[in-house]
Amino acid sequence: MRSLYRRFKPKQFYFACDHHTYWRTEIFPDYKGQRELTPVKILVRKAIQGFKEKHAKYCIEAHHAEADDVIYVA
């Protein structure tokens, strides 16, 4: 990410973030249900949550949406 920032030199940037629940799980209860929760995934989720709390002004998040949904609509 740092190399992209240096290459393109944007004046501003934002991160599309997942909401903690997804609309797809309401329609498809097994959506992403087969994925194992590993210690690494737990650490990554904590790091992302910490980033979102610290830099909320750079995060775009929509209720019940995943990051790719947010990007698609934007």
Side-chain angles (χ1 to χ4, degrees):
M1 193 170 352
R2 181 177 289 143
S3 65
L4 291 172
Y5 183 82
R6 289 178 178 161
R7 180 178 176 189
F8 294 108
K9 300 178 176 118
K11 294 183 176 158
Q12 57 186 346
F13 62 92
Y14 298 93
F15 294 93
C17 300
D18 289 342
H19 190 258
H20 62 276
T21 59
Y22 309 138
W23 63 268
R24 287 178 184 88
T25 56
E26 294 174 4
I27 299 171
F28 307 106
D30 291 334
Y31 179 69
K32 294 188 179 183
Q34 307 300 325
R35 297 184 178 184
E36 185 180 337
L37 189 59
T38 64
V40 172
K41 285 184 183 181
I42 293 170
L43 287 174
V44 169
R45 287 182 181 179
K46 287 182 181 179
I48 291 170
Q49 186 60 36
F51 178 87
K52 287 167 59 174
E53 290 170 3
K54 196 172 190 180
H55 303 288
K57 65 183 178 181
Y58 298 114
C59 297
I60 300 172
E61 182 178 307
H63 188 67
H64 284 297
E66 293 178 272
D68 59 335
D69 299 327
V70 172
I71 292 167
Y72 178 77
V73 173

